[in-house]
Amino acid sequence: AGLVEMALAMEEVGRSLAPVPIIEHVVATRLLAAANDPVHAGLLAAAVEGTEMLGFSPRAFSGRQIVSHAAVTRTVVGFVDGNLVLLSEAEPRAHVPNQASLPYAWVDPGASQVTHIAAMDAPGLFGLGGREWRVLMASALTGLTEASLQIGVEFAKTRETMGTFIGKLQG
């Protein structure tokens, strides 16, 4: 799918309030495909088939950092020292507890298996990945906002207090 089709799909993912790292997986898979590195063709095929979930860090690594979905993926596509890289672990990383219970985990290039992705313009590709991540995240947040507003409006239209709909009292 192209970026427009993916943005429409991510709006629906957001609307369903689905807590899945699909945006990161899509961006990482698209970056791996754009790099066209034959060494990682097997990983790309597994990512496209859905048998391997990839992560993406929209910020370049300058050491250990929290990545929002790294607790559910073994491989994160990132940017280290001017290179696109795969940061891999044998198992998904330990979940960092947080208020939203999102699958945050620490990713450390110094402790992970780091594999370089051969790419003609790694900084340009990483920049493109970051822009695509922001577009898709904005689409998902738009869907989430619309769904949340719909839930709030439905509540205001149907909730009663003292025999009167609350929407009427607030109006």
Side-chain angles (χ1 to χ4, degrees), residues 27-64:
V27 170
T29 303
R30 288 170 59 90
L31 274 178
L32 203 52
N36 199 25
D37 183 352
V39 171
H40 303 295
L43 178 61
L44 177 59
V48 169
E49 292 169 3
T51 57
E52 182 73 31
M53 177 67 77
L54 298 179
F56 174 70
S57 176
R59 289 188 342 217
F61 284 91
S62 60
R64 183 178 182 232

Side-chain angles (χ1 to χ4, degrees), residues 141-153:
L141 290 172
T142 298
L144 181 131
T145 301
E146 289 174 352
S148 299
L149 181 60
Q150 185 178 12
I151 290 168
V153 167

